[in-house]
Amino acid sequence: SAPMQDADFIPANKLEEALVQFLDGKIPQAEFLGTLANGQLYILMDKALPEGSQWDPGINLCVVSNEAGVALVAAFTSPGRADALQAEATEFAHGLLVSTGWLLQGLGPDVGVAVNPGYGASVELSPKVTGQLRDAFAKEMTELAGGQG
């Protein structure tokens, strides 16, 4: 399906503003990734996760493949952005807003992230990039915890 036109992509939050600026070449990738890593993403799941409960390993996330066949978890910069994909991938009827750091911790080494798949205002994070972000995030968390470990 053709990418949606972005005439109507009005940034709804800081992350979307950073995404649009990055795609327009106004901020460097590192700055965008920093905003992303400290932000929240909306992911689609095939089962509901009751609020406050532990993650259920039986839940499957909505994964899309890029042209190279790399698995990318579909993640959106705000919940409303997921509507079009949910209409197609009807089995992923449940969504959850999660911190990007939490999502990164749960991804396997061969999985990337597709931010806003289907939109012109989208970006693909390769497994390599998500791995680097995950490492950076873990390091940051360790430092925040007073360098223990």
Side-chain angles (χ1 to χ4, degrees):
S1 58
M4 285 166 243
Q5 287 309 305
D6 273 354
D8 59 349
F9 192 93
I10 313 287
N13 53 41
K14 268 190 184 151
L15 177 54
E16 295 192 348
E17 285 168 15
L19 174 60
V20 170
Q21 287 179 322
F22 166 59
L23 293 171
D24 286 345
K26 291 177 182 157
I27 62 171
Q29 182 180 14
E31 189 177 329
F32 165 68
L33 290 175
T35 304
L36 178 72
N38 292 304
Q40 286 186 309
L41 289 168
Y42 187 76
I43 54 174
L44 301 182
M45 313 179 296
D46 61 353
K47 291 183 194 145
L49 189 69
E51 201 156 324
S53 66
Q54 289 296 311
W55 180 253
D56 172 356
I59 291 176
N60 293 302
L61 300 183
C62 184
V63 174
V64 295
S65 293
N66 67 8
E67 283 160 14
V70 177
L72 305 166
V73 171
F76 295 88
T77 46
S78 60
R81 307 275 178 217
D83 293 352
L85 182 60
Q86 269 183 316
E88 284 179 34
T90 50
E91 67 271 31
F92 296 100
H94 307 278
L96 189 67
L97 197 59
V98 298
S99 71
T100 304
W102 178 89
L103 177 62
L104 293 173
Q105 300 300 320
L107 293 182
D110 305 320
V111 181
V113 176
V115 180
N116 292 348
Y119 284 87
S122 68
V123 66
E124 277 183 13
L125 306 181
S126 68
K128 185 179 168 194
V129 171
T130 52
Q132 288 168 345
L133 280 177
R134 183 166 51 237
D135 294 347
F137 198 82
K139 185 168 172 274
E140 211 172 283
M141 289 291 113
T142 308
E143 285 165 7
L144 287 176
Q148 299 302 315

